[in-house]
């Protein structure tokens, strides 16, 4: 944890906005680490669980892909692209339980944390300043 805190402090002193991703297996501690970091640093935390595929996008072909159950295109468009603008924005969080979207409002912060399985999907890597894989 100390190594991560030191890296975050260094990045915060060097960059205008930073985005950190935490990926790993189920119950590996991704959310716990994100929560600990958000207690130490003023940050936004984004959960990949809010970006599971909706029913109409769940095709056999899509689900065969690595990370195919996550709508990484919507995540990129609604969150990662917006973080860079350093302006308030909103995104749609999907609930697998209700099958409905809810609107989440985001105020810009210098430090942004993305946590969840497939947050390090290859199409998203270029958006992150620091990457963590928990095993």
């Amino acid at each position: 944890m100390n190594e991560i805190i030191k890296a975050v402090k260094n990045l915060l002193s060097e960059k205008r906005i930073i985005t950190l991703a935490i990926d790993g297996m189920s119950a590996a501690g991704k959310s716990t680490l994100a929560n600990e970091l958000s207690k130490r640093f003023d940050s936004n935390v984004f959960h990949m669980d809010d970006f599971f595929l909706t029913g109409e996008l769940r095709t056999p072909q899509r689900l065969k892909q690595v990370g195919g159950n996550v709508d990484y295109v919507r995540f990129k468009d609604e969150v990662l692209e917006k973080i860079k603008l350093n302006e308030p924005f909103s995104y749609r969080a999907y609930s697998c339980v209700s099958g409905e979207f809810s609107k989440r409002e985001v105020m810009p912060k210098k430090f942004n944390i993305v946590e969840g399985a497939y947050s390090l999907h290859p199409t998203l890597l270029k958006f992150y300043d620091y990457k963590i894989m928990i095993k």
Side-chain angles (χ1 to χ4, degrees), residues 96-108:
C96 293
V97 174
S98 69
E100 297 177 352
F101 287 98
S102 60
K103 187 176 181 180
R104 303 274 170 88
E105 301 288 338
V106 179
M107 293 306 295

Side-chain angles (χ1 to χ4, degrees), residues 4-27:
I4 295 168
I5 291 169
K6 182 178 178 182
V8 169
K9 285 180 178 179
N10 287 340
L11 285 167
L12 287 169
S13 70
E14 297 170 1
K15 297 186 139 210
R16 184 174 67 99
I17 300 169
I18 68 165
T19 304
L20 174 146
I22 305 167
D23 201 336
M25 300 293 287
S26 179

Side-chain angles (χ1 to χ4, degrees), residues 16-99:
R16 184 174 67 99
I17 300 169
I18 68 165
T19 304
L20 174 146
I22 305 167
D23 201 336
M25 300 293 287
S26 179
K30 301 175 295 293
S31 298
T32 300
L33 178 57
N35 289 337
E36 286 301 314
L37 289 172
S38 71
K39 287 178 188 174
R40 293 176 185 256
F41 301 97
D42 184 31
S43 61
N44 287 312
V45 178
F46 302 96
H47 306 280
M48 292 304 290
D49 286 354
D50 292 338
F51 292 88
F52 280 119
L53 281 185
T54 56
E56 66 273 6
L57 296 177
R58 290 180 162 268
T59 64
Q61 303 91 314
R62 177 62 184 265
L63 294 176
K64 286 181 184 175
Q65 298 174 13
V66 173
N69 63 329
V70 174
D71 194 343
Y72 47 84
V73 173
R74 185 169 63 83
F75 181 69
K76 178 183 73 70
D77 293 346
E78 292 188 17
V79 175
L80 293 175
E81 292 286 358
K82 303 286 176 74
I83 287 172
K84 299 186 310 185
L85 301 176
N86 201 31
E87 299 173 352
F89 67 92
S90 64
Y91 67 92
R92 298 170 300 140
Y94 179 69
S95 168
C96 293
V97 174
S98 69

